[in-house]
Amino acid sequence: MIQITSESSLTYQSVHALVEGVKVAGTVDDRKAIMDALNEGIESIPEEKSVLPLHEIDDEGSIQWEFEAGAVEDGEVITMPLDE
């Protein structure tokens, strides 16, 4: 059985962000240009490759993304923001 976790989903999504960042930067060799292009790359991830709602990479290099909690309500699995 394959288990999908937030960690594996984030890794998958990060690869697509990197690919799109490379496309935006127009280089595979200039690491600074690629890092500078990652936020634009995140915005360019195709819908079919989007698993998690990534927002940006902050100034410290941390990926910012929205995540939710899962709960069971009336026998149905629902998602809800963690701030509720």
Side-chain angles (χ1 to χ4, degrees), residues 14-80:
S14 297
V15 170
H16 289 289
L18 179 60
V19 167
E20 295 301 322
V22 167
K23 289 178 185 177
V24 170
T27 179
V28 296
D29 297 316
D30 186 343
R31 285 179 262 166
K32 180 167 179 1
I34 294 167
M35 288 301 294
D36 290 344
L38 281 179
N39 281 329
E40 191 174 340
I42 287 171
E43 294 173 12
S44 302
I45 296 172
E47 179 77 25
E48 68 273 6
K49 302 294 183 187
S50 182
V51 177
L52 298 171
L54 301 183
H55 293 290
E56 67 176 354
I57 295 181
D58 66 15
D59 292 336
E60 287 80 38
S62 177
I63 296 176
Q64 303 300 305
W65 57 294
E66 184 178 321
F67 49 93
E68 299 175 328
V72 177
E73 185 176 278
D74 298 324
E76 299 280 329
V77 177
I78 63 167
T79 60
M80 52 201 275

